[in-house]
Amino acid sequence: MRRIASPNQIPSAEKNTLEALANRAAHFYRLGHLETARQFASDVIARAPNHSDALLTLTHALRDMGHFDEALAKLEGFLKLQPDHRGVRAAYALTL
C-alpha cells in the first residue's frame, strides 16, 4: 500500500472511499463503538495522513479509551503540519 502525502494527490475513487471510511469511523464513534471507530480512522490516516476528520475521530476514540498520550502525540504531529487548525487545537485542549 502506498502512502499519500496530501489530499490533492488522492485519485477521486480512492478519495470517495476514504471519505466513506472516515464517515463510517465517525458513525461508530457516535454509537460508542470506540475500537471499531479507531480501526476505521486509522485505515484512513494510513492512506491520507493529513485527513483531519479521521484524525479527530481517531483521537477522540483514543481519548475516550483512556489512551491520552497516544491521542496527544497524534494531535501534536498534525499541529506541526497545520498549526492553525481549530478543530485539532480544540481536540488537543480537550485531551490535556
Side-chain angles (χ1 to χ4, degrees), residues 52-66:
S52 59
D53 290 339
L55 174 82
L56 289 170
T57 299
L58 173 61
T59 57
H60 291 319
L62 289 169
R63 183 193 65 226
D64 291 355
M65 294 167 70

Side-chain angles (χ1 to χ4, degrees), residues 39-75:
Q39 289 173 357
F40 277 109
S42 293
D43 288 347
V44 174
I45 292 169
R47 292 190 241 170
N50 295 333
H51 197 291
S52 59
D53 290 339
L55 174 82
L56 289 170
T57 299
L58 173 61
T59 57
H60 291 319
L62 289 169
R63 183 193 65 226
D64 291 355
M65 294 167 70
H67 302 290
F68 300 104
D69 291 340
E70 186 178 354
L72 286 171
K74 294 200 178 294
L75 291 165

Side-chain angles (χ1 to χ4, degrees), residues 4-96:
I4 297 173
S6 79
N8 296 335
Q9 296 175 323
I10 301 172
S12 63
E14 186 173 357
K15 194 179 286 186
N16 290 338
T17 301
L18 290 175
E19 289 307 314
L21 288 172
N23 289 338
R24 192 169 285 171
H27 176 73
F28 280 113
Y29 175 76
R30 285 190 299 273
L31 292 174
H33 299 284
L34 302 178
E35 180 57 29
T36 304
R38 186 199 63 77
Q39 289 173 357
F40 277 109
S42 293
D43 288 347
V44 174
I45 292 169
R47 292 190 241 170
N50 295 333
H51 197 291
S52 59
D53 290 339
L55 174 82
L56 289 170
T57 299
L58 173 61
T59 57
H60 291 319
L62 289 169
R63 183 193 65 226
D64 291 355
M65 294 167 70
H67 302 290
F68 300 104
D69 291 340
E70 186 178 354
L72 286 171
K74 294 200 178 294
L75 291 165
E76 288 168 356
F78 191 86
L79 284 172
K80 287 179 183 175
L81 301 172
Q82 295 185 28
D84 296 328
H85 193 288
R86 289 182 180 176
V88 175
R89 292 183 78 70
Y92 187 85
L94 283 172
T95 306
L96 284 176

